[in-house]
Amino acid sequence: MLELFTSLANWLTYDLVGLSPETKLGTSIHFFIEDTTKILFLLVVMIYVIALARASLNLERVRAYIQQKNRLVGYFFGSGFGAITPFCSCSSIPLFLGFTSAGIPLGITMAFLFTSPIINEVAVIMLWSLLGWKFTLAYIVIGMAVGIVGGMILDSIKGERWLKDFAAKAYQNAATEARNHTDNPEMPEAPKLTFQERHQFAKDELKEIVGRIWKWVLIGVGLGAALHGFVPDGWFAENLGSGQWWSVPAAVLAGLPLYSNATGVIPVMESLIVKGLPVGTTLAFCMSTVAASFPEFIMLKQVMTFGLLAIIFVILLANFMVVGWVINAISPWLFSGL
């Protein structure tokens, strides 16, 4: 099926336009057309299917369910919920505030916030089509692990102590109320929707998500195409290190001033890997760009003190560096058979 997009790119680039596959421009244009058409097609199909399945999801029920579970289970559900929600780091924050106001432990809430910008169905679809199932599976496991570990650390140090006064008060009030109702918690029933209502929900979500991210697809694939066609083979490996330990923290620091979402950064990730940057170093750079962005921290400053922000910042950077080193070590397995 996906070979059709390669054939389409061949026809448009080399037959219709008349560019040569031996030229940098021809290579870049072919990359742009093939990846753009493939990604947009997969996004339309998969977002609709996933939204159709998620149409009856009741957020209040999810929050109540997580709140009742063992703390470790709660971390997993918080991270898992972050993985299936199609939000960037900034748009995840209103949900984070809602979870905090519901009295859900800060660690579980932060597991959601850490994971949500890194993993979503869009990123998974793109990774699967561009880099294969092994890398996609590793990406999902790593993204959820970052959220779970980060949440555990924040709970162990009682991070709620560093919430702003209004947020801390809302959190304490909700937590007290929740403890008073633990004997007979009333779980709100998920609405029973007709197929037509589910279809309408999926169609609206498809329109909203694609309308929000299509430009990131074009920007990301455009940057990837430029790297793919015009950057000499081996340049990244020669200049940014061929897996040396220092290349990973350097990549993490380089990604901090930038901002993108997973949709825009994944085509760039593909091109960096193809051009010779070690896969773990590439992943550390991209995760830093997506999940440790300045806009996210500016918004979080409205509900957190600088002390808590600094702790979160250090946790993220440390996790990204560990991820980069581990992935560099297992990268031969990730790409075996490709």
Side-chain angles (χ1 to χ4, degrees):
M1 175 65 181
L2 297 181
E3 293 177 356
L4 292 175
F5 300 103
T6 302
S7 300
L8 175 63
N10 288 339
W11 177 74
L12 288 173
T13 307
Y14 305 136
D15 298 335
L16 185 64
V17 180
L19 296 174
S20 170
E22 304 300 323
T23 64
K24 295 178 179 179
L25 180 61
T27 302
S28 293
I29 296 298
H30 183 277
F31 180 96
F32 181 83
I33 293 173
E34 179 180 0
D35 274 27
T36 300
T37 53
K38 177 170 58 178
I39 289 168
L40 290 177
F41 173 79
L42 290 171
L43 289 181
V44 169
V45 173
M46 295 304 298
I47 289 174
Y48 176 83
V49 171
I50 293 169
L52 195 67
R54 201 171 60 225
S56 296
L57 182 64
N58 186 311
L59 294 183
E60 295 296 327
R61 185 180 180 86
V62 171
R63 296 196 305 187
Y65 184 76
I66 291 175
Q67 196 168 6
Q68 296 172 46
K69 292 297 178 180
N70 174 274
R71 186 62 60 88
L72 185 59
V73 175
Y75 297 135
F76 178 81
F77 274 98
S79 181
F81 187 56
I84 65 171
T85 49
F87 304 122
C88 67
S89 57
C90 293
S91 56
S92 299
I93 291 174
L95 273 177
F96 161 77
L97 294 175
F99 284 10
T100 302
S101 298
I104 295 177
L106 181 67
I108 296 176
T109 303
M110 290 305 301
F112 161 80
L113 189 67
F114 286 153
T115 305
S116 186
I118 298 174
I119 307 175
N120 57 55
E121 65 265 39
V122 176
V124 169
I125 294 165
M126 292 174 65
L127 276 175
W128 195 297
S129 66
L130 298 177
L131 297 175
W133 71 268
K134 290 182 180 179
F135 191 91
T136 304
L137 179 61
Y139 185 85
I140 293 171
V141 171
I142 288 167
M144 292 187 65
V146 167
I148 292 169
V149 171
M152 293 175 67
I153 293 173
L154 286 171
D155 269 348
S156 68
I157 63 173
K158 301 188 183 302
E160 61 272 11
R161 294 178 295 168
W162 293 290
L163 291 172
K164 290 288 185 69
D165 289 342
F166 77 93
K169 184 176 181 180
Y171 171 78
Q172 292 297 335
N173 290 341
T176 300
E177 183 178 348
R179 284 193 294 270
N180 293 335
H181 293 84
T182 51
D183 291 336
N184 281 310
E186 295 186 1
M187 301 274 288
E189 292 295 327
K192 298 184 182 301
L193 303 179
T194 66
F195 178 80
Q196 183 60 35
E197 290 171 328
R198 290 161 63 86
H199 165 72
Q200 187 61 46
F201 173 89
K203 188 170 69 172
D204 291 343
E205 183 151 308
L206 172 65
K207 181 179 178 181
E208 193 275 330
I209 294 175
V210 174
R212 190 177 70 237
I213 69 173
W214 68 267
K215 57 182 177 294
W216 289 105
V217 172
L218 296 183
I219 292 170
V221 176
L223 289 173
L227 289 169
H228 190 80
F230 291 95
V231 176
D233 291 341
W235 186 91
F236 285 103
E238 294 171 5
N239 292 274
L240 298 180
S242 299
Q244 294 95 330
W245 72 268
W246 53 263
S247 65
V248 173
V252 170
L253 294 176
L256 293 178
L258 308 176
Y259 173 67
S260 181
N261 57 21
T263 305
V265 83
I266 285 173
V268 179
M269 180 191 302
E270 180 195 19
S271 289
L272 291 173
I273 292 171
V274 170
K275 287 299 180 181
L277 191 64
V279 61
T281 309
T282 301
L283 185 57
F285 167 78
C286 292
M287 293 178 82
S288 175
T289 301
V290 169
S293 65
F294 288 154
E296 178 183 12
F297 280 91
I298 290 171
M299 292 186 69
L300 284 176
K301 179 62 180 68
Q302 308 308 308
V303 295
M304 297 178 181
T305 64
F306 279 114
L308 184 54
L309 284 175
I311 293 170
I312 292 172
F313 185 72
V314 171
I315 290 172
L316 284 174
L317 265 59
N319 278 334
F320 297 157
M321 286 187 283
V322 171
V323 164
W325 288 322
V326 170
I327 292 296
N328 277 344
I330 67 172
S331 59
W333 174 82
L334 290 176
F335 289 99
S336 63
L338 292 184

